Amino acid sequence: MALPKLRSRLGEGSFVLSCWLGIPEPLVHEAFLRADFDVATFDVQHGLFDVGSLRVAIERAVLLNKPALVRLPIEDRSLGARCLDFGATGLIMPMIETAEDARAFVSAVKYPPVGLRSYGPTRAAQLHNYGNRGGYVPEARIETLAFAMIETAAALDNLPEILAIEGLDGIFVGPSDLSIALSGDGTLDPGSEKTEATIRDLAASAAAAGKIAAIYAMTAEDAKRYRGYGYRMACVGSDFGVLGAGAAALAKAASA
């Protein structure tokens, strides 16, 4: 077992589907990890994880042969490097608004010469079966991914400069926050025409810059539509949503 070759999958024309997990419950993780998702994304920004539960979640994903991505808290670049040391394959940094933001993110999570990630992948090397920890480093330079979340008006204004940052592998679009930014009055409407058009444009801009376009999709239908726009990865739904909808459907069916 070595670091998952997620980069090649995202770049070869295939579409990668990720579950979205915010509940720090091992049995919930296992249910999603055993389902037919390609990747598991753990949401620390708005989820319920602490560092301990996040470490165990990443380990569980790796041991069940699924790449682990982590959406970090805003500006928590040090946790990003720790997540990679825990065994994660990729990171999503929210609220990237400028090239300077993107550059600082890359610097913290990429090994030299691209960045300044500190060396110490003891657990990552164990989990990914590198007998020599040094063997992890050259592969991590290629196979660990950094995504800048694009969700504000400033990020849209500075998009060309953000996409030009060396070592930034792609962008991750958050339709909800993006819709708030585009509305002009703080209205949440991820299905608006303006938001939808911007989502299409972002995929095209990323492709033109040679970057990977990824996105959060609220529903399976959204994920399929975004795939048609050129997105290479979609994180669909959430554990909170699936559990809530499943419980409600079961109760309704049983009481009808």
Side-chain angles (χ1 to χ4, degrees):
M1 185 190 305
L3 275 165
K5 302 301 186 285
L6 183 57
R7 178 188 296 280
S8 61
R9 291 192 62 185
L10 289 166
E12 66 189 8
S14 61
F15 182 70
V16 171
L17 192 65
S18 177
C19 55
W20 187 265
L21 304 171
I23 301 172
E25 169 50 56
L27 293 178
V28 172
H29 301 166
E30 186 172 337
F32 281 87
L33 289 165
R34 293 190 184 281
D36 197 21
F37 290 101
D38 304 298
V39 177
T41 300
F42 300 102
D43 179 18
V44 183
Q45 183 188 11
H46 295 303
L48 305 180
F49 291 99
D50 58 19
V51 174
S53 60
L54 178 61
R55 176 186 64 80
V56 173
I58 292 169
E59 289 176 348
R60 187 173 298 104
V62 174
L63 293 172
L64 288 174
N65 298 314
K66 295 289 176 76
L69 303 185
V70 178
R71 179 166 75 165
L72 298 163
I74 297 171
E75 295 187 353
D76 198 344
R77 294 180 287 274
S78 62
L79 179 59
R82 290 195 73 188
C83 287
L84 296 176
D85 285 344
F86 293 161
T89 297
L91 305 167
I92 302 166
M93 178 61 80
M95 294 295 177
I96 295 289
E97 295 195 298
T98 66
E100 289 72 25
D101 292 341
R103 189 176 292 109
F105 172 41
V106 168
S107 179
V109 303
K110 295 285 186 175
Y111 282 125
V114 175
L116 295 172
R117 177 183 170 189
S118 180
Y119 175 76
T122 302
R123 186 55 175 149
Q126 289 175 336
L127 284 170
H128 293 292
N129 202 28
Y130 291 91
N132 176 358
R133 285 193 303 169
Y136 167 87
V137 175
E139 292 204 11
R141 287 196 186 100
I142 299 168
E143 301 298 343
T144 58
L145 303 178
F147 292 91
M149 211 162 172
I150 303 299
E151 49 190 340
T152 69
L156 295 174
D157 290 341
N158 295 315
L159 185 65
E161 292 80 10
I162 292 170
L163 288 171
I165 296 300
E166 181 187 2
L168 185 71
D169 300 291
I171 59 171
F172 188 93
V173 178
S176 292
D177 277 311
L178 184 63
S179 74
I180 293 171
L182 291 169
S183 69
D185 61 3
T187 298
L188 172 65
D189 187 5
S192 72
E193 290 184 10
K194 189 173 184 179
T195 302
E196 196 75 8
T198 303
I199 287 170
R200 286 196 300 269
D201 291 345
L202 285 167
S205 295
K211 305 291 188 181
I212 300 162
I215 192 168
Y216 177 80
M218 293 185 67
T219 68
E221 291 72 23
D222 289 339
K224 292 175 183 178
R225 188 171 70 258
Y226 298 151
R227 179 178 185 175
Y229 295 164
Y231 283 88
R232 306 285 2 117
M233 181 176 73
C235 299
V236 62
S238 70
D239 47 2
F240 285 98
V242 170
L243 288 169
L250 178 62
K252 183 177 180 179
S255 61

